Amino acid sequence: MKIAKTITEARTWIAQLKEERRNLGADPKIGFVPTMGYLHEGHASLLRRSRQESGISVLSIFVNPIQFGANEDLDRYPRSEEADLQLAEREGVDLVFMPSVDEMYPEERKTTVTVTGVTERLCGASRPGHFDGVATVVSKLFNIVKPDQAFFGAKDAQQVAVLQKMVNDLNMDVKIVPCPIVREEDGLALSSRNVYLSEDERREALVLSRSLQTAEAKIQQEADATPAEIVSEVTATIEASPLAVIDYVELLTFPNLKPLDDDQTMKSLRLSEQSIILAVAVKFGSTRLIDNHIMKLKEVPLHV
Ligand code: PAF
């Protein structure tokens, strides 16, 4: 496994890897998993998918300062270079790109990639500038790695929607591949930030997956349930946890992230074959967790 710390090294080695694969008559397609490190089983599942579906597997590890707000956790974002490299090696990564901040942002930056429309709600509303930072760094990484396909976890569903829009709008020649959320056995969605949770917070954080699951069952079973009813039930369930402070609970269309009309019942949504996302962001102490369920309503068996 090669480790590139500079953009020049990454480009040189990627060109070499492609050449080697071509000479072997093998698939030279690049699968790319961009991350901020502190890798867990969720990242491992993306790397596995990338390995299975591409001849060359590239991982980037870069804690991107421009996607953190002034009061967010950039300074204490967890890092574990050695364990990350071991996991990457285990998952058959060919090249890890791990640049410094100076390498990625050497001088005052004058270019920002802004995606509108899908960034106004959810995390886009509570973390102003966050998706500009994500879209800008991912554009830079795509220009460096030149992947054929890039794999992202569906836990960051809005990120997937933003990057899909960016790639479409800017005609970037890369396929965005969303991959399922990976959960602990008890339902907690894996996140590098779970490490911040105290024992009590970790226990209470289960309310996220539990409330989403209950809501999905309601959506399946109650054809007349309205978006407002579902949102208020999820809100009430989460509010019953003393340590939980809600940032948002929203039920929107997916991937356009538009609000649903209050007179739309689950039955009418199903008939329109509309995908929807029920998304939550909740703080436990200083740790903000997100989770979601994306439902393709045409596939949901409504008991009417
Ligand atoms: O999902 C993440 O870890 C980050 O937002 C990403 C896509 C690596 C950009 O910094």
Side-chain angles (χ1 to χ4, degrees):
M1 185 175 77
K2 295 184 188 310
I3 300 169
K5 300 230 164 166
T6 67
I7 295 166
T8 308
E9 274 170 354
R11 285 189 163 139
T12 307
W13 279 331
I14 286 168
Q16 263 177 27
L17 284 163
K18 281 184 90 98
E19 183 65 20
E20 278 168 25
R21 302 285 303 169
R22 275 200 203 96
N23 290 342
L24 289 168
D27 174 17
K29 254 195 346 231
I30 297 181
F32 180 39
V33 179
T35 76
M36 298 206 296
Y38 208 71
L39 304 180
H40 50 64
E41 190 47 38
H43 299 110
S45 74
L46 303 179
L47 290 170
R48 246 168 260 148
R49 185 89 187 263
S50 168
R51 180 72 286 167
Q52 278 159 16
E53 296 182 17
S54 349
I56 299 166
S57 175
V58 178
L59 161 73
S60 69
I61 299 176
F62 178 63
V63 181
N64 174 38
I66 68 165
Q67 70 185 72
F68 289 79
N71 301 317
E72 294 184 356
D73 56 348
L74 173 61
D75 293 340
R76 65 173 192 135
Y77 197 81
R79 293 161 203 251
S80 60
E81 195 176 308
E82 211 175 300
D84 286 353
L85 293 176
Q86 280 169 12
L87 185 146
E89 187 104 54
R90 265 201 317 275
E91 298 303 338
V93 169
D94 295 296
L95 173 78
V96 184
F97 176 46
M98 34 193 326
S100 65
V101 172
D102 284 348
E103 180 70 9
M104 288 298 277
Y105 301 116
E107 58 212 32
E108 205 194 329
R109 198 170 37 88
K110 301 285 188 213
T111 305
T112 298
V113 180
T114 299
V115 180
T116 58
V118 283
T119 49
E120 274 89 60
R121 307 184 74 93
L122 306 176
C123 295
S126 20
R127 303 183 65 188
H130 169 68
F131 287 115
D132 284 0
V134 171
T136 303
V137 80
V138 172
S139 303
K140 285 167 70 76
L141 291 167
F142 282 177
N143 283 331
I144 295 162
V145 174
K146 297 204 168 57
D148 296 280
Q149 38 195 4
F151 300 81
F152 294 90
K155 184 170 77 66
D156 297 306
Q158 189 172 22
Q159 173 167 278
V160 171
V162 169
L163 295 176
Q164 186 63 70
K165 196 91 196 87
M166 172 184 90
V167 160
N168 290 349
D169 286 354
L170 299 181
N171 306 99
M172 292 181 173
D173 200 8
V174 50
K175 183 176 164 207
I176 301 289
V177 185
C179 302
I181 298 179
V182 179
R183 298 179 181 279
E184 302 275 12
E185 255 176 39
D186 59 9
L188 184 69
L190 294 192
S191 162
S192 302
R193 291 186 167 98
N194 290 351
V195 71
Y196 301 146
L197 297 168
S198 70
E199 223 174 281
D200 288 346
E201 289 166 348
R202 167 71 181 72
R203 198 177 46 252
E204 285 208 10
L206 293 180
V207 72
L208 268 59
S209 52
R210 208 175 55 235
S211 62
L212 290 173
Q213 220 169 348
T214 310
E216 179 154 356
K218 186 177 170 86
I219 288 167
Q220 288 184 30
Q221 285 153 17
E222 296 180 28
D224 292 332
T226 64
E229 276 165 20
I230 286 156
V231 167
S232 72
E233 269 190 34
V234 173
T235 305
T237 310
I238 297 175
E239 276 174 352
S241 283
L243 299 178
V245 178
I246 293 179
D247 178 356
Y248 60 71
V249 176
E250 292 203 63
L251 186 61
L252 304 171
T253 63
F254 190 83
N256 290 332
L257 306 182
K258 298 278 177 241
L260 296 166
D261 290 339
D262 261 357
D263 57 3
Q264 282 178 298
T265 59
M266 293 308 115
K267 186 177 172 191
S268 68
L269 285 167
R270 185 189 180 210
L271 292 175
S272 71
E273 301 201 345
Q274 174 67 66
S275 285
I276 56 174
I277 180 168
L278 180 56
V280 297
V282 178
K283 270 189 124 178
F284 294 88
S286 57
T287 308
R288 183 175 173 281
L289 300 182
I290 57 173
D291 200 350
N292 72 74
H293 276 205
I294 295 172
M295 290 160 260
K296 287 188 184 150
L297 283 187
K298 64 179 169 185
E299 288 170 10
V300 174
L302 283 174
H303 307 300
V304 285

